Amino acid sequence: MEPHIEYIKTSLDAKMHVTSKGNPYWYGRDLMEILEYARWESFLGVVEKAKQACDNSGKFSSNHFRHTAEMVAIGSGAKSKRANMVLSRYACYLIAMNGESSKPQVATAQTYFAAQTYKQEIEQALSNEQRRLLLRDRIRDANKKLFSAAKAAGVTRYAIFQDAGIKGLYGGLGVQDLKRKKGIPNEEEFLDCIDREELAANEFRATQTESKLRRDKTQGEKPAIETHAEVGKRVRKAIQEIKGTMPEELPAAPSIKKLAQKQSKDTKHLKE
């Protein structure tokens, strides 16, 4: 793969955010920079074409393109407000498809978001059990990246670091407390015995903590632990604000190991 193509795809991955429900989104200013549009006004021209294409496809553009504002430093400690946008994966796909295809950055983004959109369609066709397996795999990957960021920050007591985030999300309850409350056998891994809604909340906790540790260039075990706890609390607060069920009150699910074994057998049977 050519270096600039790899750089663009890596940049799109790095700038991706994930909602508490596991849906990816990007900020317009980040996408504009990656696609190398020099001016916000020029980028907005492409956005308008993408919004029209969205509405023409039968989907409400307001569900995929959300205007927002942010404060940015302008020097000497002063800040100024500037426009930005929150874009769904579908919105980014339409922006790429309506951009200047002669630009290698735009062409690469078209391929990237086309593949992402296809992947989403495949995921939507999966059964609840298959989606749960997929989410569990994503959390394993998210935790690897989180622990890498934690290590870079100076964390050595990973169990304490992990428990801090769990307690933040679960209102002070640790893994052992949650196993007892939910009736999960002690020999089972906690994350193997929860359903999709709870898995998504934990993925959000992990990805956002990793992002914050790297973004803030956190140094020191204590600040890293405090960051994980704070992110967990914020995810919990977001669930409260939308009047969702608190994660500790969600019921346990059958061990995902059995589902994984069943899928492995099914796959093996299809290959025979």
Side-chain angles (χ1 to χ4, degrees):
M1 185 179 293
E2 294 182 36
H4 75 277
I5 294 178
E6 180 61 30
Y7 170 76
I8 294 166
K9 291 186 175 182
T10 300
S11 298
L12 288 168
D13 281 338
K15 293 298 183 180
M16 180 180 71
H17 301 267
V18 183
T19 70
S20 59
K21 292 186 177 181
N23 297 318
Y25 67 94
W26 286 258
Y27 284 106
R29 293 277 179 179
D30 290 338
L31 187 60
M32 178 189 80
E33 182 179 327
I34 293 169
L35 299 184
E36 294 193 7
Y37 281 91
R39 297 172 61 250
W40 178 246
E41 290 74 19
S42 299
F43 180 71
L44 285 181
V46 181
V47 169
E48 287 305 314
K49 292 179 182 178
K51 288 171 70 174
Q52 184 175 353
C54 184
D55 289 328
N56 291 342
S57 72
K59 298 180 180 181
F60 292 108
S61 58
S62 57
N63 291 336
H64 298 274
F65 302 77
R66 183 167 64 82
H67 290 274
T68 186
E70 60 185 7
M71 301 300 294
V72 294
I74 57 174
S76 303
K79 291 186 176 181
S80 177
K81 184 183 290 188
R82 71 174 184 181
N84 204 342
M85 298 189 79
V86 176
L87 305 166
S88 72
R89 174 164 46 194
Y90 185 58
C92 292
Y93 168 69
L94 292 176
I95 288 172
M97 295 308 293
N98 282 276
E100 300 172 30
S101 57
S102 59
K103 292 164 65 79
Q105 299 85 355
V106 173
T108 301
Q110 288 177 352
T111 303
Y112 176 90
F113 286 113
Q116 289 279 321
T117 302
Y118 175 72
K119 180 181 176 183
Q120 181 184 31
E121 291 171 350
I122 294 297
E123 289 179 10
Q124 289 174 342
L126 298 176
S127 68
N128 183 67
E129 289 185 352
Q130 289 171 320
R131 289 185 188 184
R132 187 173 160 226
L133 280 168
L134 188 62
L135 259 176
R136 182 65 181 97
D137 285 341
R138 277 171 29 187
I139 290 181
R140 286 193 185 93
D141 182 61
N143 276 332
K144 287 179 183 177
K145 293 177 181 176
L146 173 60
F147 290 141
S148 173
K151 182 179 180 181
V155 171
T156 57
R157 297 178 295 171
Y158 294 104
I160 294 175
F161 171 79
Q162 181 69 352
D163 208 40
I166 292 288
K167 286 182 176 178
L169 175 58
Y170 287 89
L173 297 176
V175 170
Q176 292 305 315
D177 300 320
L178 292 165
K179 281 186 173 183
R180 284 192 292 270
K181 182 177 179 65
K182 294 174 182 282
I184 297 172
N186 194 51
E187 65 273 13
E188 293 284 359
E189 286 190 47
F190 173 66
L191 293 175
D192 284 345
C193 298
I194 58 177
D195 214 342
R196 287 170 49 217
E197 182 178 350
E198 202 169 344
L199 284 168
N202 277 281
E203 183 188 20
F204 190 55
R205 167 188 55 76
T207 56
Q208 294 307 301
T209 301
E210 181 220 345
S211 177
K212 185 168 177 59
L213 288 175
R214 297 191 190 280
R215 183 174 63 250
D216 295 350
K217 296 181 173 59
T218 303
Q219 286 299 309
E221 184 173 73
K222 187 173 182 289
I225 290 172
E226 290 173 348
T227 294
H228 198 187
E230 179 60 27
V231 172
K233 290 176 183 177
R234 293 197 178 199
V235 176
R236 181 179 181 83
K237 184 178 179 182
I239 295 171
Q240 289 174 326
E241 288 177 349
I242 63 172
K243 302 188 186 304
T245 303
M246 289 297 97
E248 66 273 14
E249 299 302 331
L250 292 169
S255 174
I256 210 162
K257 291 176 183 175
K258 295 178 181 177
L259 299 179
Q261 289 170 357
K262 179 179 181 297
Q263 180 170 315
S264 179
K265 288 180 181 177
D266 290 346
T267 302
K268 182 179 178 181
H269 175 71
L270 288 172
K271 290 181 178 179
E272 291 176 348

